[in-house]
Amino acid sequence: MWNLARFAASSLSRSRRFSTAIPGPCIVRKRGADILHDPWFNKDTGFPLTERDRLGLRGLLPPRVISFEQQYDRFMNSYRSLEKNTQGQPDNFVALSKWRILNRLHDRNETLYYRVLIDNIEEFAPIIYTPTVGLVCQNYSGLFRRPRGMYFSAKDKGEMMSMIYNWPAQKVDMIVLTDGSRILGLGDLGVQGIGIPIGKLDMYVAAAGINPQRILPVMLDVGTNNQMLLEDRLYLGLRQPRLEGDEYLSVVDEFMEAVHARWPKAIVQFEDFQMKWAFETLQRYRKKFCMFNDDIQGTAGVALAGLLGTVRAEGRPLSDFMKQKIVVVGAGSAGLGVLDMAVQAVARMVGCSETAAKSQFFLIDKDGLVTTERSNLDPAAAPFAKSPKDVEGLGEGASIIEVVKKVKPHVLVGLSGVGGIFNEEVLKAMRESVSTKPAIFAMSNPTMNAECTAADAFKHAGENIVFASGSPFQNVDLGDGKVGHVNQANNMYLFPGIGLGALLSGARLITDGMLQAASECLASYMTEEEVLKGMLYPSINSIRNVTAEVGAAVLREAVAEGLAEGRDDIGFKELSLMSKEETVEYIRDNMWYPVYSPLVREK
Ligand SMILES: NC(=O)C1=CN([C@@H]2O[C@H](COP(=O)(O)OP(=O)(O)OC[C@H]3O[C@@H](n4cnc5c(N)ncnc54)[C@H](O)[C@@H]3O)[C@@H](O)[C@H]2O)C=CC1
Ligand SMILES: CC(=O)C(=O)O
Ligand SMILES: [Mg+2]
């Protein structure tokens, strides 16, 4: 069912993708109006007459049958009208209106929804993902109409093992879980953070072709420390302070056990947990369940690929990565994850110790440069703290501008969640960088939390910079026909491939080796010519291709590590006999692609 692999290649033209080839059947246990009200099966006016007869739909729909392509065009026309009619309105109003029209389609007809999403990913990703998803989370209680995903709250302790069976799908492959404690750079949004798992899983369907019938967005509501939400009478989550310590962990433990009991092979992606729980849960579960933390591990892999790209962009050999001076602003789950992976990469490439590999990296948090002199040094940041003798002229807590002026880094990475902290002065100081192509990565999300805008980066730091941001910005017009290219350095380039590769490998764990393989694959995706033009990451339009390659790299590493158990009738042996190209093809063949399948009722 749904495995319509041959339709998956994203390079197919639209007319070919509305192919007349007959897809395999899809088994349905419902009939009549229940089918129309189920977005998984609903085709709106697209049900052929024979199917209307078979499924008890005759008379429940207007008589005319409208083709998938016509429905698609109708939706896009409505969307274009909405765009026209909201011109000149405030940005947030327009963004939410666009989200609403897409969400209504999502609620009604998933096949059509995912088709328009896949075909228009560059236009729609900023609505269902960052930045608009942040706005949606902030306004979630007001926007709420229908539930999506599952909600496990602190009040459900002892019940989760039975609750998990309330989910209607028999099979689940991918779960994205949050506790809402650090939603993008927007802080603690409590239960409203459910928008993030929903958006991430939409990207799983669009980029990795995970079957939408097998995804599960999950909110673990353990309370919130956001006073505004606690006082908001419309707030839909538990109005109590967050659980802490063992009480907190016991809720997550129970959820993980329940998931594993029902779907032992499901992959759980932890998303947007505050730092202490992000690290603690990763350590707690990574050897026990097939899980990963996207903010720590996915972000690290994407950032490392970009950092390697900055070396190539200067026209230097990759081995020069060890000489790159990199300042990371933000010592949270993302910043520390990036440093950890980058240091390991240097140590591996050069064959030196991790201590030696750290010398080129500088870490700044809200209290400034992190050094061993700090009185309350966070143990998670301690491995990257500079000793005073290594940073002459820079004391504990030195500011961003002081560090940039003194170090003259090749790359300045922002993962602080603080909008605008790469201000004019900081960006101008990057003109003195020792690099011929200084790189600025303003990776915080959503857009208003980016450390700087693309336009400011090119204006103040110079036209020869390489720029990347977590949320999308338009390319910058530099005049005289020149364009400042904007890269999107977002973990969306890795997490779908990590999840899909792990899933098809049948591995029970996601190892550092698998994550490293994902990052290396992304790093080598761009050609020399593109990188020299400052293009470090692919266009979002090729995200299915990227994901197929990344997924294959992850799968092959799982095989190499002897962890792959396979899936269905493709076991370890078959996987291990596949060439690299065959593995990519196998991944593509297993990507779901939205077409209307004939619905067949189970007797
Ligand atoms: N582009 C991407 O793919 C990703 C982007 N992010 C973004 O990174 C940001 C941070 O995420 P986490 O590390 O999980 O958050 P976090 O809350 O764990 O860490 C934030 C860090 O920033 C530091 N910070 C706060 N104010 C600062 C200031 N004025 N100057 C310097 N440092 C300051 C804090 O001390 C802390 O170390 C968020 O905005 C998130 O959206 C996170 C994951 C992926
Ligand atoms: C992209 C992402 O995962 C974040 O901003 O948290
Ligand atoms: Mg995240």
Side-chain angles (χ1 to χ4, degrees):
M1 172 170 78
W2 294 110
N3 183 2
L4 296 159
R6 303 291 161 202
F7 292 85
S10 53
S11 56
L12 292 181
S13 71
R14 194 172 147 224
S15 59
R16 276 191 58 210
R17 278 185 281 144
F18 283 100
S19 155
T20 48
I22 298 171
C26 176
I27 308 299
V28 57
R29 292 181 181 83
K30 304 180 174 182
R31 75 184 302 278
D34 287 346
I35 292 179
L36 297 181
H37 295 149
D38 187 333
W40 281 344
F41 303 113
N42 184 27
K43 303 177 184 176
D44 291 316
T45 48
F47 286 101
L49 294 177
T50 47
E51 206 162 66
R52 295 182 188 197
D53 281 340
R54 275 207 318 274
L55 301 173
L57 294 172
R58 266 210 181 217
L60 299 183
L61 288 162
R64 191 147 157 241
V65 179
I66 305 287
S67 73
F68 194 35
E69 189 163 14
Q70 285 171 314
Q71 290 182 332
Y72 180 108
D73 290 340
R74 216 174 77 149
F75 175 80
M76 289 308 292
N77 287 340
S78 314
Y79 184 81
R80 296 283 168 242
S81 305
L82 175 110
E83 266 188 323
K84 219 168 117 206
N85 297 337
T86 51
Q87 256 172 17
Q89 303 279 353
D91 288 351
N92 283 358
F93 174 84
V94 177
L96 284 182
S97 304
K98 289 179 173 177
W99 177 83
R100 271 200 200 88
I101 187 174
L102 278 166
N103 188 53
R104 279 199 299 270
L105 181 61
H106 196 182
D107 281 346
R108 200 182 69 234
N109 180 336
E110 292 214 348
T111 316
L112 186 57
Y113 170 75
Y114 285 114
R115 176 63 78 88
V116 298
L117 178 59
I118 290 169
D119 283 2
N120 303 280
I121 189 74
E122 186 173 7
E123 187 168 1
F124 290 157
I127 302 170
I128 57 109
Y129 191 59
T130 184
T132 303
V133 70
L135 191 62
V136 169
C137 290
Q138 287 175 309
N139 293 283
Y140 173 80
S141 295
L143 291 169
F144 181 87
R145 294 293 177 275
R146 294 175 58 143
R148 180 172 292 281
M150 287 194 82
Y151 299 78
F152 293 83
S153 91
K155 298 261 186 288
D156 296 320
K157 257 208 113 267
E159 301 296 328
M160 295 186 197
M161 200 56 96
S162 57
M163 281 167 72
I164 200 88
Y165 286 89
N166 289 344
W167 186 246
Q170 294 302 311
K171 292 182 181 165
V172 165
D173 290 336
M174 242 357 276
I175 294 172
V176 178
L177 170 72
T178 189
D179 69 355
S181 54
R182 190 288 276 149
I183 294 299
L184 307 177
L186 304 170
D188 180 350
L189 294 184
V191 80
Q192 308 197 155
I194 183 71
I196 290 294
I198 294 170
K200 291 269 174 187
L201 283 161
D202 272 356
M203 291 302 285
Y204 263 108
V205 177
I210 300 286
N211 184 333
Q213 291 193 28
R214 295 188 180 197
I215 60 175
L216 175 54
V218 175
M219 162 54 60
L220 271 191
D221 183 358
V222 293
T224 177
N225 294 340
N226 181 327
Q227 201 53 38
M228 248 172 60
L229 294 180
L230 289 171
E231 288 167 13
D232 178 355
R233 62 189 177 80
L234 284 182
Y235 178 61
L236 295 172
L238 289 187
R239 291 170 83 174
Q240 65 176 52
R242 284 187 175 275
L243 295 185
E244 289 296 339
D246 288 344
E247 263 192 311
Y248 174 89
L249 283 172
S250 69
V251 171
V252 195
D253 282 351
E254 189 179 329
F255 169 78
M256 291 299 281
E257 295 293 347
V259 161
H260 194 65
R262 184 164 183 203
W263 302 294
K265 290 259 171 174
I267 294 165
V268 184
Q269 173 169 324
F270 278 57
E271 193 68 50
D272 289 9
F273 283 69
Q274 60 180 307
M275 177 166 107
K276 64 176 178 184
W277 293 128
F279 282 113
E280 171 104 26
T281 50
L282 181 60
Q283 289 323 315
R284 196 174 177 90
Y285 303 124
R286 69 174 307 191
K287 296 273 161 62
K288 204 169 165 199
F289 302 109
C290 196
M291 60 79 67
F292 69 106
N293 182 296
D294 182 39
D295 299 294
I296 301 174
Q297 297 167 298
T299 313
V302 165
L304 176 59
L307 294 176
L308 293 171
T310 64
V311 185
R312 291 168 72 202
E314 286 179 78
R316 291 161 54 193
L318 271 187
S319 53
D320 276 5
F321 184 45
M322 61 169 292
K323 298 182 193 151
Q324 294 284 99
K325 291 189 197 176
I326 297 169
V327 172
V328 176
V329 180
S333 33
L336 294 179
V338 170
L339 274 174
D340 196 43
M341 194 167 193
V343 165
Q344 281 181 40
V346 172
R348 228 180 14 256
M349 282 163 84
V350 186
C352 66
S353 70
E354 284 195 13
T355 312
K358 279 173 196 156
S359 65
Q360 301 297 99
F361 294 94
F362 299 78
L363 179 61
I364 295 176
D365 71 359
K366 65 178 185 338
D367 300 318
L369 182 67
V370 180
T371 72
T372 50
E373 299 286 274
R374 189 169 288 197
S375 50
N376 54 345
L377 182 58
D378 183 342
F384 307 104
K386 287 281 178 218
S387 111
K389 68 177 176 6
D390 296 330
V391 284
E392 253 176 64
L394 286 174
E396 156 58 36
S399 66
I400 304 177
I401 184 66
E402 287 169 332
V403 175
V404 170
K405 278 189 169 165
K406 180 82 190 166
V407 174
K408 305 183 192 325
H410 294 78
V411 193
L412 179 61
V413 179
L415 283 162
S416 64
V418 185
I421 49 168
F422 295 172
N423 56 25
E424 186 173 337
E425 199 186 2
V426 170
L427 292 171
K428 281 189 169 154
M430 279 300 285
R431 285 179 182 259
E432 306 304 318
S433 158
V434 285
S435 169
T436 53
K437 266 194 187 297
I440 294 162
F441 284 25
M443 290 180 69
S444 290
N445 298 312
T447 315
M448 67 178 177
N449 295 66
E451 283 75 9
C452 64
T453 64
D456 280 352
F458 283 99
K459 181 170 162 200
H460 300 307
E463 294 183 358
N464 62 329
I465 61 162
V466 173
F467 180 80
S469 53
S471 296
F473 281 98
Q474 297 284 336
N475 284 343
V476 179
D477 182 355
L478 301 175
D480 294 334
K482 284 184 287 178
V483 171
H485 180 78
V486 173
N487 293 281
Q488 194 174 355
N490 191 294
N491 50 30
M492 69 181 181
Y493 283 118
L494 282 195
F495 71 76
I498 295 171
L500 181 59
L503 183 73
L504 294 179
S505 76
R508 292 201 173 265
L509 302 173
I510 297 178
T511 63
D512 281 343
M514 288 156 75
L515 297 161
Q516 196 183 306
S519 178
E520 282 169 9
C521 174
L522 181 62
S524 60
Y525 192 86
M526 302 302 281
T527 65
E528 216 55 36
E529 203 189 340
E530 289 167 326
V531 173
L532 287 172
K533 283 190 203 149
M535 297 175 183
L536 307 185
Y537 296 98
S539 148
I540 190 170
N541 288 316
S542 42
I543 199 157
R544 269 213 169 192
N545 284 324
V546 177
T547 302
E549 299 281 343
V550 170
V554 170
L555 191 158
R556 286 173 67 73
E557 178 61 25
V559 170
E561 291 183 26
L563 291 170
E565 294 176 9
R567 186 179 154 92
D568 301 331
D569 44 2
I570 306 292
F572 175 80
K573 187 151 172 258
E574 288 78 13
L575 292 176
S576 61
L577 291 173
M578 286 179 193
S579 67
K580 190 174 162 204
E581 291 69 30
E582 285 166 344
T583 314
V584 175
E585 205 45 41
Y586 174 64
I587 297 265
R588 279 193 211 288
D589 283 356
N590 278 280
M591 286 180 167
W592 176 84
Y593 191 75
V595 288
Y596 285 153
S597 306
L599 298 186
V600 176
R601 217 165 89 77
E602 198 178 56
K603 287 271 176 326

